[in-house]
Amino acid sequence: MDKESVAQEDAELKALSQALHQLYDPVLDEPVPARIITQARARRPLWRMAAIAAGWITLGLGTGMVAGWQLHAWRASAPLQAEMPGFVKRAAVAHAVYSPEVRHPVEVAADQEQHLVTWLSKRLGVKVHAPKLGDAGLSLVGGRLLPGESGPVAQFMYQSQNGRRLTLYVRAESSKHRETAFRYARDNSVGVFYWVDRDCSYALASADLGKEEMLRIATLVYKQLEQ
Amino acid sequence: MNDADSIVELIPRLRRYARALAGDRIAADDLVQDTLERAWSKLHLYRRGTDLRAWLFTVMHNVYVNQVRALRPVAQLDEDLPELAQPAREVDSLVLRDLDAAIRSLPPDQREVLLLVALEEMSYDEAASTLGVPIGTVMSRLSRAREKLRAMLSGLPPGGGKQLKVVK
C-alpha cells in the first residue's frame, strides 16, 4: 500500500473512532445499576457469608458457579424487579391461579407421574423431569400443560405436609448452552427464583415459602436437573 | 487498591463496550453482570501486574461468544419489557444512528475487533490477545468490518442524513 492510501486509511479509522466515541461514550456517564456494583464487589468471603445466611453451607460450595448463584439469590432483589422477564411474570400468575385450587390443582396427578412426564416432554419437545423434593419436605401433586408466550409450557406442583405449595414452571428454549445466574423476583405475594439452563428456562414460584427456603429448593432442583 | 475497587473502577468501560457489542441496555448490563460473575470465579487465572482491563475484556469476550452461540434467548426473555428511556444518548444525526445499526449488523467476531480497536483503542496486539486469535486474524477481521461499514454507510440516499436530522 502506498503512503497516501495508508494515510487515508488512518484518517478514516480515526473518524470512525471519533464517531464510535460519540455514540457510546455517554454510557460512561450513566449511573451504574446496583446489581452490577454488587456483582463487582462479590468477593468470596461475601458469598461465604451469604451461604451461611441462606443456611445451606452444608450442601457444599463446590463450584464457583453455585457460589455465584447464591450471591444472586442473597442480594436484594429490588434492582431486578423492574426487569422481570415476561416468562417469570407468567410463572407467578400461573402459580397464583392454580396453587389455591382444592379440587383441580393439576391436570395429571402424581400417581400418574410417568405419564405426566412423558406427555409434557412430548409437548414441550425437550425431556422434562419432575424433580424429587422429598428432602425439602415437598411431594409432587402433579402437573399441567399451559400456554406460554410462544408455545406450551409445563407446570409441576408440589406440596408440603401442611399444605404449602410450590410450582416449577418450565419452558423449552430453542437454543442450547445458554446459562444464566439464579435470579429472584417478586410479583405481588409470589416469590420466584428463575434461571436458564441448557435447553430450558425454569421458574420456581411460591406464595407460601420464604426466600431462603426457596433458594434451598431451587438448588435441589438445579442439582437434579443437572444429572 | 484491592481487586474489587479495581474492578468497580472499570465498570463504565465494560458497560460501554457491552452496550456497543450487545445493543440494548438490558442485554448489555446482563453481559456485564455475567462477566463480573465469571471474573470472580476465575480470578485465580488473572496474573497480577498484567492489564486487568484487558483480562476483563477477555472474560467478557468468552461470555459473549457463549451467548451468541446460544442465539441470545435473553432477548426473547425480555420481550415483554417496557421500552426503557435511553437518556444521555446523544445520537444527534441520522448518520450516527446508521452507524449504530451498521455496527449491529456486523458479524459478532468482526464487531468485536472493530470495537476493541476503534472504540477501546487497543493495539492489534492487545486486541489479538484479548480475543485469543492471531494478530493476522485481527487485521483481516478489522478490514472486513471496515469494508462492510463503508458499503453500508455509503448506501444511504444522498442528502438523507440532513433531511432526517433528529432534533436534539
Side-chain angles (χ1 to χ4, degrees):
Chain A
M1 211 187 295
D2 60 48
K3 238 179 175 176
E4 203 174 304
S5 55
V6 168
Q8 199 186 334
E9 285 265 300
D10 283 353
E12 196 196 270
L13 190 59
K14 205 169 172 191
L16 180 61
S17 165
Q18 279 171 356
L20 287 174
H21 279 292
Q22 215 179 325
L23 252 180
Y24 301 115
D25 279 358
V27 178
L28 296 175
D29 299 322
E30 284 177 12
V32 176
R35 61 174 172 133
I36 288 178
I37 299 274
T38 309
Q39 190 69 68
R41 296 206 171 275
R43 263 162 300 181
R44 274 148 205 271
L46 188 66
W47 56 251
R48 264 186 219 286
M49 274 158 52
I52 295 163
W56 58 282
I57 189 113
T58 47
L59 283 175
L61 299 167
T63 65
M65 194 175 98
V66 172
W69 281 25
Q70 278 188 303
L71 181 82
H72 276 302
W74 169 79
R75 70 170 182 233
S77 62
L80 293 174
Q81 281 190 20
E83 297 170 13
M84 184 188 290
F87 127 91
V88 178
K89 174 80 182 168
R90 280 177 172 262
V93 171
H95 179 85
V97 168
Y98 293 110
S99 66
E101 272 288 330
V102 178
R103 294 188 58 186
H104 307 292
V106 295
E107 244 171 322
V108 177
D111 57 1
Q112 292 181 285
E113 186 180 336
Q114 192 49 53
H115 164 66
L116 171 69
V117 165
T118 311
W119 170 52
L120 292 175
S121 297
K122 196 172 152 203
R123 290 308 311 274
L124 266 65
V126 293
K127 204 147 178 52
V128 296
H129 304 275
K132 305 245 175 289
L133 301 181
D135 288 354
L138 294 167
S139 54
L140 184 70
V141 180
R144 61 168 70 239
L145 187 71
L146 292 170
E149 293 99 325
S150 54
V153 296
Q155 185 194 47
F156 292 107
M157 189 178 295
Y158 293 84
Q159 184 171 290
S160 72
Q161 272 193 330
N162 53 16
R164 296 192 301 167
R165 282 179 171 169
L166 170 123
T167 52
L168 177 65
Y169 188 87
V170 185
R171 181 177 81 172
E173 291 297 337
S174 48
S175 48
K176 298 189 176 188
H177 307 302
R178 162 80 189 172
E179 285 189 0
T180 67
F182 238 6
R183 296 197 167 134
Y184 180 77
R186 273 197 91 78
D187 184 52
N188 297 318
S189 59
V190 181
V192 186
F193 273 101
Y194 60 102
W195 68 96
V196 182
D197 185 30
R198 292 190 292 205
D199 42 14
C200 287
S201 295
Y202 300 91
L204 197 66
S206 180
D208 301 330
L209 303 173
K211 188 169 165 184
E212 286 176 13
E213 191 169 0
M214 284 182 67
L215 168 62
R216 206 158 58 83
I217 296 165
T219 311
L220 216 58
V221 172
Y222 173 74
K223 286 196 168 181
Q224 287 188 31
L225 296 171
E226 271 297 272
Q227 283 160 10
Chain B
M1 196 151 70
N2 62 29
D3 292 329
D5 289 339
S6 314
I7 290 175
V8 167
E9 201 160 80
L10 289 166
I11 288 175
R13 297 289 296 272
L14 291 169
R15 289 186 77 228
R16 178 179 68 181
Y17 180 59
R19 190 77 60 88
L21 204 56
D24 75 279
R25 191 194 184 104
I26 289 174
D29 282 340
D30 281 349
L31 177 59
V32 174
Q33 190 174 352
D34 291 345
T35 299
L36 293 170
E37 186 179 347
R38 174 89 70 98
W40 276 112
S41 70
K42 303 274 176 194
L43 197 64
H44 58 282
L45 296 176
Y46 167 64
R47 290 209 322 274
R48 305 253 147 211
T50 59
D51 186 355
L52 180 64
R53 178 179 75 110
W55 183 74
L56 286 172
F57 273 58
T58 300
V59 175
M60 183 175 281
H61 160 70
N62 292 332
V63 172
Y64 179 68
V65 165
N66 284 333
Q67 290 184 358
V68 168
R69 201 177 292 144
L71 291 173
R72 318 274 325 272
V74 160
Q76 224 177 315
L77 284 181
D78 287 340
E79 66 200 354
D80 288 348
L81 286 178
E83 277 281 56
L84 278 182
Q86 299 230 347
R89 189 151 199 198
E90 291 166 9
V91 182
D92 60 348
S93 73
L94 188 68
V95 175
L96 273 189
R97 292 214 307 196
D98 284 339
L99 177 61
D100 189 39
I103 301 258
R104 194 97 334 106
S105 68
L106 289 174
D109 55 349
Q110 293 176 22
R111 192 187 317 148
E112 279 193 298
V113 168
L114 182 84
L115 292 171
L116 289 179
V117 172
L119 179 64
E120 295 305 324
E121 289 164 19
M122 285 189 181
S123 65
Y124 294 166
D125 226 5
E126 288 169 324
S129 78
T130 297
L131 300 175
V133 297
I135 195 163
T137 306
V138 165
M139 291 166 77
S140 65
R141 283 182 191 170
L142 180 66
S143 111
R144 267 178 286 151
R146 291 176 60 189
E147 222 163 276
K148 283 203 183 112
L149 282 186
R150 234 175 267 142
M152 280 187 272
L153 296 174
S154 66
L156 294 173
K162 271 179 197 158
Q163 238 172 330
L164 291 173
K165 188 156 175 145
V166 175
V167 179
K168 267 191 207 179

